[in-house]
Amino acid sequence: MTQAPTADYVIVGAGSAGCAIACRLAEAGRSVIVIEHGGSDAGPFINMPGALSYPLNMKRYDWGYRTEPEPHLGGRRLACPRGKVIGGSSSINGMIYVRGHARDFDHWRDQGAAGWGYADVLPYFQRLENWHHGGHGGDPDWRGSGGPLHITRGARDNPLTRAFVEAGAQAGYGMTGDYNGYRQEGVGPFDMTVWKGQRWSAAKAYLRPALRGGNCKLVNGFARRVTFENTRATGVEIARKGRIETIRANREVIVTASAINSPKLLMLSGIGPAKQLKENGIPVLADRSGVGRNLQDHLEVYVQAASSQPVSLYRYWNLMGKAYVGARWMLTKTGPGASNQFESAGFIRSRAGVDYPDLQIHFLPIAVRYDGQVAAEGHGFQAHVGPMRSPSRGQITLQSGDPKDDPRIFFNYMSDPDDWITFRQGIRLVREIFAQNAFKPYYKHEIQPGEAAQSDDMLDEFIRDHAESAYHPCGSCKMGAVDDPLAVVDPECRVIGVQGLRVADSSIFPRITNGNLNAPSIMVGEKAADHILGRPPLAPDDRAPWVHPDWQLSQR
């Protein structure tokens, strides 16, 4: 066992939150070592927004996890990609930027995460953002303009993209010029982490500047466990170049390894449910039954329609088309390759009595799967829809005490009856939007679920067979009050029961937020950095965001 470098802070995982923390600590003059198992994020597949389906399916960039058989989804094992690359999942995600709804963070606060209400986190979202509305409206007063993370909007040139928003308005939903601003509910343009036609990951926004500054170093290695003296974290044991070594932390170890790998690393280090640790031959340092519990995700299905006009992105789905898109992007960073193509969004409520949106709709002007397989129908379009706040909960557990073994991932998807009610309603509401006049020039027929699938039973069968993860795992190291037996970290991200150790990534979310999780994950990193540095938090912003005035009686 050889002794490796030492720093004030050792961060495990160069992902969305880890990059932000590394940058802020290094800016403050602290020495930082970031441990990342994955390799370089260079290359066109990661950097070209339109190529997003490629890195998601490449072993080089993805841990390649799959769930355990999910009993409520016919025993299927679902893909659970996590970024194994510099930038983590921000380097392989769909680049969609959604803060979450104000009520999400107020719920965190009310469940014991003191200081994490919307008024508390809004200034951190503003600090991280460099928002470019490009003359497309929006709420500049609610957004940040000088932060490291560039956020832009697609050109929305495709007529299907515009038809979706028009159809949503015709169906009676409000328009929102900026779902990340005053009003989330409604239909409108999507934000994306793209800048000058290229993916703008947490690595580009935060880690690269930190590495250039001299206080931050990146170490390529596989984290095996956190090391301790008594109950104080002292470093991280890693495997690299065929050797086992320990990187020492003079002040703290910060785990930012994802909702899958952070609980795994805690358990391998002796922090977790005592019974499970003992079964795997791991000495118990802190019996925390919440480690790995409270696991959540978003599921979605694709409601697909064939187009009667050849206006979808299918025109590029051939050798010549892809060559054109790729060459144009390589030469000019413009064209279809410069957008993730998720350019129109919907956040709606499934029924009256729901106080804020519980369904998200991603509209895409092509009928295609995440693995890049297009519908046999050719030209088409689709809406991804799924519940935002599923009551179902799963768990991460260890397969063994060997760090090389993948953890067991069991989401327990669709285990609550409410999931089925909300999901069915989501499909029906999307169909209603597709039936509006704005889609009349384009709508040919439904590809899936298919017009015959009308009854609850038939929709349930479709959901059981076709629901896919939206790749938003979170919650497995829940943040809460110190006396909450299921809390893993306190509201300053300190692991309860030990010293010198924090967790700060999507695993600490008490409950999943509305929409895609990259933005709140980076926000967690920004806010955690202030806690780590002992700085007072940014002053709260008490402005009240929009909530439907008649939500108790009206669905839209």
Side-chain angles (χ1 to χ4, degrees):
M1 178 113 39
T2 58
Q3 217 47 43
T6 300
D8 293 335
Y9 296 95
V10 176
I11 298 171
V12 183
S16 299
C19 289
I21 294 170
C23 182
R24 296 308 188 190
L25 297 182
E27 278 177 356
R30 310 294 194 269
S31 61
V32 180
I33 291 174
V34 181
I35 300 163
E36 172 55 50
H37 185 42
S40 170
D41 59 340
F45 287 129
I46 276 182
N47 288 294
M48 181 164 110
L52 64 91
S53 65
Y54 290 97
L56 267 176
N57 294 287
M58 292 172 74
K59 283 199 168 90
R60 176 179 168 187
Y61 300 129
D62 172 28
W63 286 88
Y65 293 138
R66 298 193 82 75
T67 70
E68 295 294 296
E70 290 286 346
H72 304 282
L73 295 177
R76 289 189 294 136
R77 300 185 69 185
L78 273 60
C80 181
R82 288 293 85 195
K84 185 179 68 175
V85 58
I86 292 166
S89 294
S90 79
S91 290
I92 67 167
N93 69 359
M95 291 155 282
I96 294 170
Y97 183 86
V98 184
R99 288 172 169 181
H101 194 281
R103 293 269 171 107
D104 293 327
F105 302 104
D106 289 346
H107 181 270
W108 288 13
R109 176 200 63 207
D110 297 344
Q111 292 297 304
W116 290 80
Y118 184 64
D120 305 300
V121 302
L122 176 56
Y124 286 97
F125 281 118
Q126 291 169 324
R127 184 167 90 178
L128 70 87
E129 290 177 352
N130 195 344
W131 183 65
H132 311 265
H133 58 78
H136 300 306
D139 293 342
D141 290 351
W142 290 75
R143 307 301 298 272
S145 59
L149 192 75
H150 288 290
I151 299 146
T152 57
R153 291 179 169 177
R156 308 181 78 223
D157 291 335
N158 191 287
L160 294 167
T161 299
R162 297 193 299 274
F164 173 77
V165 174
E166 289 166 29
Q170 288 167 357
Y173 296 103
M175 307 269 274
T176 175
D178 187 359
Y179 62 79
N180 282 315
Y182 168 61
R183 173 178 175 155
Q184 184 186 78
E185 186 170 331
V187 289
F190 251 136
D191 281 351
M192 58 182 178
T193 48
V194 172
W195 178 235
K196 295 184 175 175
Q198 300 187 70
R199 178 191 294 272
W200 195 255
S201 66
K204 289 180 181 172
Y206 290 99
L207 188 61
R208 293 246 151 58
L211 293 171
R212 285 195 296 269
N215 288 335
C216 179
K217 292 188 173 63
L218 184 65
V219 169
N220 184 256
F222 176 72
R224 294 167 47 88
R225 65 186 184 96
V226 179
T227 59
F228 286 86
E229 285 172 14
N230 300 314
T231 57
R232 170 162 284 282
T234 56
V236 181
E237 182 184 286
I238 67 167
R240 67 165 169 164
K241 298 175 182 170
R243 295 204 312 265
I244 306 282
E245 49 189 289
T246 300
I247 295 187
R248 288 189 63 83
N250 294 329
R251 295 189 184 215
E252 292 187 52
V253 173
I254 303 146
V255 177
T256 58
S258 83
I260 310 301
N261 285 326
S262 291
K264 175 193 171 187
L265 189 64
L266 291 189
M267 289 187 278
L268 290 170
S269 309
I271 301 163
K275 181 171 178 286
Q276 193 195 146
L277 300 184
K278 288 171 184 167
E279 284 169 358
N280 288 289
I282 299 167
V284 179
L285 186 67
D287 178 9
R288 300 302 305 173
S289 62
V291 175
R293 300 265 291 275
N294 192 47
L295 180 65
Q296 300 158 65
D297 191 13
H298 289 141
L299 275 184
E300 61 186 15
V301 293
Y302 309 162
V303 179
Q304 294 181 328
S307 175
S308 54
Q309 291 193 49
V311 293
S312 80
L313 297 174
Y314 182 71
R315 77 183 91 153
Y316 303 115
W317 224 259
N318 54 62
L319 206 55
M320 290 295 289
K322 288 182 179 180
Y324 162 76
V325 169
R328 181 175 173 185
W329 182 82
M330 294 288 275
L331 291 168
T332 68
K333 301 296 184 283
T334 64
S339 170
N340 60 4
Q341 299 304 331
F342 290 107
E343 295 183 352
S344 287
F347 289 92
I348 63 177
R349 291 175 298 114
S350 63
R351 49 200 182 267
V354 175
D355 61 342
Y356 69 101
D358 60 342
L359 292 166
Q360 181 185 18
I361 303 169
H362 299 73
F363 181 77
L364 199 57
I366 185 172
V368 67
R369 296 196 320 224
Y370 268 148
D371 62 7
Q373 297 295 310
V374 291
E377 305 274 346
H379 280 283
F381 49 93
Q382 68 191 33
H384 305 197
V385 65
M388 286 293 93
R389 294 184 293 284
S390 166
S392 298
R393 295 290 180 272
Q395 190 170 5
I396 303 284
T397 51
L398 295 176
Q399 287 202 68
S400 77
D402 185 345
K404 292 195 292 294
D405 284 345
D406 288 349
R408 276 202 190 88
I409 304 166
F410 178 55
F411 283 99
N412 202 22
Y413 290 125
M414 305 299 290
S415 56
D416 191 288
D418 189 63
D419 290 327
W420 298 91
I421 295 166
T422 308
F423 228 133
R424 287 194 295 263
Q425 185 66 355
I427 293 169
R428 289 174 171 140
L429 293 172
V430 165
R431 283 172 159 171
E432 187 191 4
I433 292 171
F434 282 179
Q436 300 300 315
N437 283 333
F439 274 119
K440 282 279 191 299
Y442 311 110
Y443 187 91
K444 191 173 171 187
H445 61 258
E446 187 169 290
I447 299 171
Q448 70 171 36
E451 264 105 7
Q454 297 295 333
S455 69
D456 285 2
D457 286 348
M458 291 183 82
L459 289 180
D460 286 353
E461 185 181 358
F462 172 71
I463 293 163
R464 196 174 297 113
D465 293 345
H466 293 279
E468 293 289 342
S469 170
Y471 310 147
H472 300 162
C474 64
S476 51
C477 296
K478 180 183 130 175
M479 172 169 53
V482 178
D483 58 0
D484 177 351
L486 286 179
V488 177
V489 300
D490 71 9
E492 294 198 4
C493 307
R494 297 174 293 211
V495 176
I496 299 164
V498 296
Q499 294 80 48
L501 179 64
R502 299 192 204 229
V503 179
D505 56 21
S506 67
S507 70
I508 73 167
F509 293 10
R511 188 174 73 181
I512 196 163
T513 55
N514 264 16
N516 311 64
L517 301 193
N518 184 234
S521 298
I522 295 174
M523 179 278 292
V524 162
E526 283 273 10
K527 192 169 186 304
D530 277 0
H531 293 307
I532 294 161
L533 290 165
R535 290 177 171 165
L538 298 178
D541 184 334
D542 290 317
R543 283 180 292 176
W546 191 88
V547 173
H548 195 295
D550 199 23
W551 64 265
Q552 285 156 309
L553 300 173
S554 175
Q555 182 262 326
R556 63 189 84 173

